[in-house]
Amino acid sequence: MATINLKKLRLVINSTIDGANQDLRKRINQELHQHPETAYEEVFAHDTITKFLEDQGFNVKRSTYGLATSFEAEIGSSGRLVAICAEYDALPEIGHACGHNLIATSSIAAFLGAAAALKDSGASGRLRLIGTPAEEGGGGKVKLIDAGAFSDVAAAIMAHPMCKHQLSGESDTYAGLAAMKMIASHKFRTEFRGKTAHAANEPWNGVNALDAAVAAYSSVGLLRQQIRPDERIHAVIEVGGTVPNIIPDYARMNWNVRSPTIAGADRLLDRVKANIEAAATATGCKLNYINAPTYSNMTANKALCTAYVSEMESIGERVLLWRDKPITASTDMGNVSHAVPSFHGAFAIPAAPEVSLHSPKFAAAAGTDEAHEVCLKCAKGMAMVAVRVLLDDELASKARNDFEINHDW
């Protein structure tokens, strides 16, 4: 550790990110915020980011790992490999209400800073920026794991914006959270198929698919009374008919079933499915499940989180190391955390106390210059963690040990 000049690395990282501030704000953050795209449709984001990276002199691979809107930029040819994950998909109708424009900006900034520091150090090491589409329900990282994007990775790194009041009971005193643990989620759709008929003239000849959807929704609503406080079930009816005088022969629902662990989510899923299947039976409809990638619970790596808190302190930012209870939300970064040592922190952006994630007001907050400045501070901390994993054998070993032995920290 004595041969690593941390002070110099910080200076290189901070000056690199500060120097790229306005380019990142105008060419990445604002552009993505103004052009929101949903899962696997992030064509504008993909092209905008890859062009930006190419203009910085990086070799960029487009449409990587079999995904049209994924990309990869990498430097170095030997040594340990650190992956920085960039998300950039948005939500239907309400845009960047989860702040993925800020995630992309902070991850790209961290990559720029870490790349400059690694080059300045003259040491071996590989740094990879991975464009990870479709976090909002599409499981992009799950597919990237299966395709080998995280093979041989010593650490995977990213962070997510949040409102201050969501961090802790002492939210006003912290600028972020290092160990952003989250819960597991099963994601799937159900299709109910019945039979059309004239709803007034011969309703007895119809089989009402909408009735099945309504029955499933209602019975699962009653089930919520008997689930644990840290479990969640959500559903919407996506398709339920066209006009009231035709009995609907098709209905489709979209479901999330969440619990702190995969084992708990599996048990809850069985209970939910019992209600769904009972609704199909009661209405005489045929039932089909359309499964999406399951999101594992996000675990935290103590060594990486501790390093991040220390690095943020070096630039005057107080970050909470961990909190007792996981955040009751889910991410496909959770799957990455079960594959390789991972850091998934949170940075607090300015927002009024009533503002919540996945709302138009949070989308507005994510587009402010103040939020941009906050995400770049986070990027400096992430860049230093990345470089330290590459150059510091002790930290890399601790991160691996925590992944293998202290995984439930």
Side-chain angles (χ1 to χ4, degrees):
M1 188 67 181
T3 60
I4 302 173
N5 190 335
L6 292 179
K7 185 176 180 180
K8 185 179 180 184
L9 292 173
R10 292 185 187 114
L11 287 172
V12 173
I13 285 171
N14 293 348
S15 63
T16 299
I17 293 175
D18 288 341
N21 185 326
Q22 291 308 305
D23 261 0
L24 287 164
R25 183 176 69 86
K26 295 175 182 177
R27 296 184 58 188
I28 299 297
N29 194 357
Q30 290 185 348
E31 287 294 307
L32 268 57
H33 191 266
Q34 293 167 10
H35 298 88
E37 300 165 301
T38 54
Y40 297 118
E41 302 293 333
E42 314 97 328
V43 176
F44 177 86
H46 171 274
D47 293 348
T48 298
I49 295 170
T50 53
K51 177 65 166 59
F52 176 85
L53 292 168
E54 288 166 349
D55 289 347
Q56 309 305 309
F58 294 101
N59 292 321
V60 183
K61 297 178 182 177
R62 300 182 179 220
S63 300
T64 50
Y65 300 103
L67 301 178
T69 54
S70 179
F71 66 84
E72 181 180 279
E74 186 171 327
I75 66 164
S77 58
S78 63
R80 279 189 291 271
L81 171 62
V82 168
I84 299 175
C85 300
E87 297 175 2
Y88 34 85
D89 61 320
L91 290 157
E93 299 182 5
I94 55 175
H96 279 291
C98 206
H100 291 192
N101 58 304
L102 295 172
I103 295 177
T105 302
S106 62
S107 293
I108 294 165
F111 178 73
L112 297 179
L118 181 61
K119 182 178 179 181
D120 184 81
S121 74
S124 61
R126 292 177 293 154
L127 187 67
R128 177 182 296 167
L129 178 66
I130 306 175
T132 61
E135 188 277 337
E136 293 289 354
K141 293 185 195 67
V142 181
K143 296 181 180 182
L144 288 168
I145 292 168
D146 293 341
F150 294 93
S151 297
D152 301 322
V153 166
I157 295 171
M158 66 167 286
H160 198 294
M162 291 183 69
C163 302
K164 271 197 172 186
H165 70 265
Q166 295 173 308
L167 295 179
S168 78
E170 306 172 77
S171 57
D172 288 342
T173 67
Y174 292 105
L177 170 66
M180 189 180 175
K181 300 178 185 179
M182 287 188 275
I183 64 178
S185 177
H186 285 299
K187 300 172 184 288
F188 61 96
R189 284 178 166 86
T190 52
E191 294 180 308
F192 297 100
R193 297 187 184 276
K195 179 185 175 185
T196 59
H198 194 293
N201 190 41
E202 290 185 316
W204 52 85
N205 283 331
V207 177
N208 196 318
L210 179 58
D211 281 353
V214 170
Y217 188 92
S218 298
S219 60
V220 170
L222 296 174
L223 172 64
R224 286 194 183 102
Q225 297 178 84
Q226 276 72 51
I227 66 174
R228 293 179 176 275
D230 51 5
E231 294 181 326
R232 300 288 187 271
I233 308 169
H234 335 283
V236 294
I237 299 174
E238 296 181 322
V239 180
T242 54
V243 293
N245 63 345
I246 301 175
I247 290 177
D249 66 343
Y250 179 78
R252 187 177 71 241
M253 302 182 71
N254 194 349
W255 299 81
N256 286 173
V257 177
R258 309 183 197 243
S259 188
T261 65
I262 283 291
D266 287 345
R267 290 191 295 269
L268 184 57
L269 179 63
D270 288 342
R271 297 171 70 190
V272 170
K273 282 187 172 182
N275 284 268
I276 294 170
E277 289 158 14
T281 299
T283 56
C285 289
K286 294 180 180 178
L287 169 64
N288 179 53
Y289 290 104
I290 304 172
N291 294 312
T294 292
Y295 287 12
S296 299
N297 55 299
M298 180 73 220
T299 64
N301 187 284
K302 185 176 182 180
L304 297 178
C305 289
T306 303
Y308 177 76
V309 170
S310 173
E311 291 304 328
M312 292 300 286
E313 186 177 3
S314 75
I315 59 171
E317 295 295 303
R318 187 165 182 247
V319 172
L320 181 65
L321 178 61
W322 73 296
R323 44 181 272 176
D324 291 339
K325 296 180 180 179
I327 294 166
T328 50
S330 308
T331 174
D332 56 3
M333 189 67 181
N335 299 66
V336 178
S337 76
H338 287 267
V340 299
S342 299
F343 172 81
H344 187 291
F347 53 93
I349 66 172
E354 74 276 6
V355 174
S356 172
L357 284 165
H358 290 203
S359 72
K361 287 185 177 180
F362 190 86
T368 63
D369 289 345
E370 292 81 2
H372 174 75
E373 295 300 326
V374 170
C375 90
L376 291 192
K377 290 178 182 178
C378 170
K380 293 174 181 179
M382 291 195 296
M384 271 303 299
V385 173
V387 172
R388 285 178 59 182
V389 171
L390 293 176
L391 304 185
D392 184 352
D393 292 341
E394 183 179 359
L395 177 59
S397 178
K398 284 182 177 179
R400 188 70 203 180
N401 184 73
D402 284 340
F403 173 74
E404 294 178 348
I405 300 174
N406 196 24
H407 198 64
D408 293 327
W409 171 73

